[in-house]
Amino acid sequence: MPRIESVDFYYCSMPEVLDIGDGSQDLLMVRLQAGEWVGWGECEASPLVSIASWVTPMSHSACKPVRDSVLGQQLDSVDDIRRIGTLVRANSMDLLQTDHTLSGVDIAMWDLLGKMHSEPVYKLLGYERQYPRTPYASVLFGDTPAETLEKAKRARAENFKAAKFGWGPYGLGSPETDAEHIAAAREGIGPDAHLLVDAGTVWKDDIDLARPRLAALKEFRATWLEEPFLSGALNAYATLAQEAAPVKMAGGEGSHNVHMAQHMIDYAGIGFVQIDAGRIGGITPSFDVATYARERGVTYVNHTFTSHLALAASLHPFAGSATDEICEYPTELKSLAWDVTKNHLARNADGQLLLNDEPGIGIEPDLQGAKKYLVDVEIRVGGKVLYQTPAI
Ligand SMILES: [Mg+2]
């Protein structure tokens, strides 16, 4: 019976991290070994904090380091992955970064199990086949409407049938300027493409700030308005959803567990639930949310903004769903997020995206590519080294 013998974390970062809404500036890859098998995963957001939650000294019985519930565990079935996830959440319940750390570990366990059973992860999840996705080009708003227009034109020239514009100046200035950005985005991507808008929680929970932006979203036929409010601002979401129709609300990337996502589906009036497998606890809870959403007529969409390892991990949970058509596909990745894997997910001649039909996640890390971004970290407590960056 293979047991989890080691878990290594590789914290990689661009030399300079900018204060912009670009999640590809650093990342944390996870290497998990059980017997002769190795799996890879990735955690989203704040690598150092995720590493710290792996090794931090126990505070009390519900606040243990994540590693205590992972190392030494038997791993040779899907049930083992679920059992380990449940154990981690119980033993590290009061450690708020647990879900991020668990995400990379969970993804690595699925990758390993797929390799062990010679199956792609989506088949282990019970899907018989995968369906192609329509990827949307995921870009930041330009600083000016003219810049947004150029980005939109580029997405169209690159054969994207959908494009999302987010963050940047949107929602911070006047509704008139925002309307100019939306008009520019629509002009650039053409009349038939899906236009998606991501407000990046800019209005917190203030409906009065969001309301004046709705007219332009309707006029230029946005498919969705994403994250007008903070995750969990359910009342604000539900109210705006009614006023925004036929533009739908999208949200959920902030979900740290299945229940948060279920609340968004049940009470926020969203039409699209966006789940980051690197944040919600990995592929296991992502799959559970995809199933829950499908049963309630809410469309599941992956959220991802880092490497193609994270991208592929975010696609497996709903790969076998025929109805969840579109997927996020970051197109402005920093070199780091591209260089850390040997293979990538490329669109086919129709502009559609499919997973590599290989065992596991289907993406191989490139440690030589990662080497130049590797951050040297040592965590020392009471004279004892709890963590040290592994050598490449
Ligand atoms: Mg977003």
Side-chain angles (χ1 to χ4, degrees):
M1 288 293 179
R3 292 186 179 275
I4 299 174
E5 291 154 23
S6 65
V7 178
D8 291 311
F9 291 88
Y10 296 85
Y11 171 10
C12 297
S13 176
M14 295 298 291
E16 186 187 7
V17 173
L18 306 173
D19 186 6
I20 55 173
D22 176 358
S24 71
Q25 303 185 80
D26 66 7
L27 55 80
L28 183 63
M29 287 201 298
V30 181
R31 179 186 186 275
L32 185 142
Q33 182 159 8
E36 64 190 286
W37 308 102
V38 171
W40 287 88
E42 192 175 319
C43 306
E44 151 71 8
S46 196
L48 185 58
V49 186
S50 293
I51 295 169
S53 78
W54 178 255
V55 298
T56 187
M58 174 170 65
S59 294
H60 54 76
S61 61
C63 198
K64 293 178 182 137
V66 173
R67 67 178 176 187
D68 281 15
S69 311
V70 177
L71 293 177
Q73 291 293 330
Q74 180 183 310
L75 176 60
D76 62 6
S77 73
V78 171
D79 287 346
D80 285 330
I81 296 179
R82 288 198 176 268
R83 178 180 52 77
I84 292 167
T86 302
L87 196 61
V88 167
R89 288 185 186 283
N91 285 333
S92 303
M93 183 168 64
D94 289 350
L95 216 169
L96 294 186
Q97 191 77 4
T98 292
D99 307 296
H100 289 255
T101 308
L102 173 60
S103 295
V105 172
D106 178 277
I107 292 166
M109 290 195 289
W110 280 102
D111 187 42
L112 185 149
L113 201 66
K115 288 167 180 164
M116 185 188 284
H117 295 279
S118 297
E119 293 274 22
V121 167
Y122 71 84
K123 288 206 171 163
L124 291 182
L125 286 166
Y127 295 125
E128 286 185 5
R129 55 162 291 194
Q130 59 164 321
Y131 290 85
R133 300 283 166 236
T134 300
Y136 64 80
S138 196
V139 301
L140 304 177
F141 274 109
D143 288 335
T144 63
E147 270 183 46
T148 296
L149 177 64
E150 285 313 304
K151 289 184 176 217
K153 282 181 174 170
R154 206 178 311 141
R156 186 181 193 179
E158 290 170 0
N159 197 26
F160 279 97
K161 308 284 191 289
K164 184 172 91 180
F165 302 83
W167 298 74
Y170 187 77
L172 294 168
S174 70
E176 291 73 27
T177 304
D178 281 357
E180 288 172 25
H181 277 279
I182 302 300
R186 170 53 80 194
E187 183 188 337
I189 61 170
D192 300 324
H194 282 293
L195 169 59
L196 316 170
V197 177
D198 182 357
T201 75
V202 68
W203 304 305
K204 313 306 178 201
D205 62 354
D206 191 336
I207 299 165
D208 291 336
L209 287 175
R211 190 174 281 127
R213 330 278 167 164
L214 293 181
L217 297 173
K218 292 177 186 176
E219 181 182 351
F220 296 104
R221 294 175 293 111
T223 299
W224 80 46
L225 172 62
E226 172 176 335
E227 289 214 309
F229 308 120
L230 296 166
S231 268
L234 303 177
N235 291 336
Y237 262 99
T239 302
L240 198 67
Q242 291 201 336
E243 298 183 20
V247 179
K248 290 186 173 175
M249 297 293 112
E253 69 183 76
S255 300
H256 293 185
N257 54 54
V258 169
H259 299 108
M260 287 177 74
Q262 287 177 345
H263 292 159
M264 294 293 287
I265 290 167
D266 290 341
Y267 306 117
I270 55 175
F272 297 87
V273 65
Q274 302 165 293
I275 297 301
D276 197 315
R279 196 179 294 180
I280 196 170
I283 287 172
T284 314
S286 300
F287 172 76
D288 292 346
V289 174
T291 305
Y292 189 86
R294 199 155 52 242
E295 289 165 358
R296 285 155 183 82
V298 169
T299 303
Y300 184 97
V301 191
N302 64 312
H303 174 269
T304 186
F305 224 92
T306 53
S307 76
H308 279 219
L309 177 64
L311 172 64
S314 78
L315 293 172
H316 279 280
F318 71 120
S321 166
T323 49
D324 302 319
E325 186 207 339
I326 57 179
C327 75
E328 178 159 47
Y329 188 81
T331 50
E332 294 182 331
L333 287 180
K334 292 282 184 286
S335 60
L336 152 70
W338 185 264
D339 292 349
V340 296
T341 64
K342 286 180 181 162
N343 57 343
H344 301 87
L345 297 184
R347 292 175 298 147
N348 64 21
D350 298 328
Q352 300 284 91
L353 199 65
L354 282 162
L355 288 159
N356 299 323
D357 246 328
E358 290 159 22
I361 302 289
I363 295 290
E364 280 304 308
D366 183 346
L367 288 182
Q368 288 312 312
K371 199 170 184 174
K372 62 179 180 242
Y373 305 99
L374 195 63
V375 179
D376 186 28
V377 177
E378 183 179 283
I379 299 177
R380 181 189 289 265
V381 176
K384 191 177 165 197
V385 175
L386 298 185
Y387 168 85
Q388 196 153 33
T389 297
I392 288 181

